[in-house]
């Protein structure tokens, strides 16, 4: 009943939360069970998580390759099923990642994208030859991968703002192979909505993180994720999201209307936003984001960008590649240029 405490009991554990934290109950129960050593239905043993990534079963790499370095998520955003379906965070040992990256480069990869549900929470065991041992974060891993001969480009996705640490920011400053394009989901510009989402960062903290990244790498371009119409989102909350977008200026973004995910805390919220309101808000947000993307692309016209050519284009004699900002670039060139990074004058 309203105003009463909710108590979830398990053997040797008493978990007490007030009514305002009811939406966090699934997270609290899951964290408690994991702390007691129990494995949830979605939890895999470390050696099971990456069984499918065994190099013996991997096809030869192309010009670009994906390399999973981290699985699972401990963030428990109230709209997301990942912590329940993918299990707890686990990071592969750095030596395993480096060895697989070396094989990918040997198979022809010039660019590797590091993958994880929460990739910048990476905390893999340091290689055995490291005198201090311990763990490496993503920044240290990127520096090691940058030393592999033949690996020209490094990317990573998807990130959480809370896990952008000093070492990762320094890698953006110091490692030329790390591309100046970062996908950093914020979801909302309203602190009230961010708190309801259990994101554990504020809009101002996100802005300060972005500023630190841009100070380290002035040519950095940003992409993000947005959810509109989250339960309880007011007109004022939505305006705060528009204000954040206008201030940050994104080169690209993904935006969605909130939709119920069964089993998540937000699915049971009583203050669901009406569908027509969500539709109108999404249209307004996407209009702003699309204008920013067009402006970013237009600013690239007339400049020379290094393009990694990946495959033949749709038309005879055409190749398709990617700029450092993940833009698709089409040009006339012979197939033997696939795998090369070539300076290209960008035309509209």
């Amino acid at each position: 009943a309203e105003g009463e405490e909710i108590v979830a009991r398990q053997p040797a554990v008493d978990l007490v939360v007030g009514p305002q934290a009811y939406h966090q109950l699934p997270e609290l129960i899951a964290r408690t069970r994991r702390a007691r050593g129990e494995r949830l239905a979605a939890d895999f043993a470390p050696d099971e998580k990456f069984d499918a990534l065994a190099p013996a079963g991997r096809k030869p790499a192309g010009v670009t390759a994906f390399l999973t370095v981290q699985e699972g998520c401990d963030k428990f955003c109230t709209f997301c099923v990942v912590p329940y379906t993918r299990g707890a965070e686990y990071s592969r040992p750095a030596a395993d990642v480096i060895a697989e990256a070396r094989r990918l480069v040997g198979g022809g990869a010039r660019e590797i994208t590091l993958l994880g549900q929460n990739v910048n929470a990476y905390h893999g065991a340091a290689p055995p030859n490291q005198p201090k041992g311990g763990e490496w974060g993503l920044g240290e891993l990127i520096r090691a991968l940058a030393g592999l001969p033949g690996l020209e480009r490094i990317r990573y996705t998807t990130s959480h703002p809370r896990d952008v640490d000093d070492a990762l920011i320094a890698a953006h400053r110091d490692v030329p192979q790390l591309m100046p394009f970062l996908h950093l989901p914020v979801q909302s510009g309203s602190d009230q909505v961010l708190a309801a989402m259990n994101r554990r960062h504020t809009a101002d903290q996100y802005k300060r993180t972005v500023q630190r990244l841009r100070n380290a790498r002035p040519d950095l371009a940003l992409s993000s994720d947005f959810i509109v119409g989250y339960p309880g989102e007011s007109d004022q909350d939505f305006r705060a999201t528009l204000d954040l977008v206008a201030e940050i200026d994104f080169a690209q973004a993904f935006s969605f209307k909130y939709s119920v995910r069964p089993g998540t805390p937000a699915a049971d919220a009583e203050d669901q936003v009406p569908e027509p309101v969500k539709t109108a808000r999404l249209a307004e947000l996407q209009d702003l984001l699309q204008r920013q993307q067009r402006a970013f692309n237009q600013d690239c016209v007339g400049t020379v960008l290094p393009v990694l050519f990946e495959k033949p284009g749709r038309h005879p004699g055409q190749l398709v590649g990617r700029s450092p900002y993940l833009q698709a670039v089409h040009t006339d060139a012979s197939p033997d240029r696939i795998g090369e990074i070539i300076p290209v004058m960008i035309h509209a």
Side-chain angles (χ1 to χ4, degrees), residues 3-4 36 47 60 91 117 123 135 178 181 216 226 231 282 327:
E4 294 180 349
R36 296 172 63 239
D47 57 347
S91 300
Q117 269 88 40
H123 53 276
E135 294 180 336
L178 184 56
F181 182 82
F226 295 91
L282 181 63
Q327 300 150 309

Side-chain angles (χ1 to χ4, degrees), residues 205-225:
Q205 287 170 335
Y206 181 87
K207 293 174 187 177
R208 284 189 276 119
T209 297
V210 167
Q211 190 57 56
R212 293 183 63 207
L213 284 160
R214 284 176 165 164
N215 289 342
R217 186 73 191 259
D219 62 340
L220 184 75
L222 286 168
S223 171
S224 195
D225 291 343

Side-chain angles (χ1 to χ4, degrees), residues 32-47:
T32 301
R33 290 182 62 187
R34 286 172 179 163
R36 296 172 63 239
E38 298 182 31
R39 283 175 62 181
L40 307 185
D43 285 342
F44 301 94
D47 57 347

Side-chain angles (χ1 to χ4, degrees), residues 11-45:
V13 175
D14 284 344
L15 185 63
V16 183
V17 297
Q20 73 280 3
Y22 179 74
H23 68 279
Q24 293 182 325
L25 191 57
E27 172 191 352
L28 295 171
I29 292 173
R31 287 186 183 277
T32 301
R33 290 182 62 187
R34 286 172 179 163
R36 296 172 63 239
E38 298 182 31
R39 283 175 62 181
L40 307 185
D43 285 342
F44 301 94

Side-chain angles (χ1 to χ4, degrees), residues 77 162 178 251-252:
C77 297
R162 288 180 55 216
L178 184 56
Q252 187 186 108

Side-chain angles (χ1 to χ4, degrees), residues 8 14 34 62 76 88 104 107 110 119 126 150 177 181-182 193 206 235 246 254 263 282-283 316 337:
D14 284 344
R34 286 172 179 163
F76 289 94
L104 290 170
R110 304 290 305 280
V119 68
Q177 292 93 332
F181 182 82
L182 174 60
V193 173
Y206 181 87
D235 288 341
F254 302 93
L282 181 63
R337 308 306 296 271

Side-chain angles (χ1 to χ4, degrees), residues 136-157:
W136 275 6
L138 186 62
E140 292 166 299
L141 180 65
I142 287 170
R143 288 180 185 273
L145 293 173
L148 295 178
L151 180 56
E152 302 292 340
R153 291 182 168 186
I154 300 171
R155 305 183 189 271
Y156 62 90
T157 194

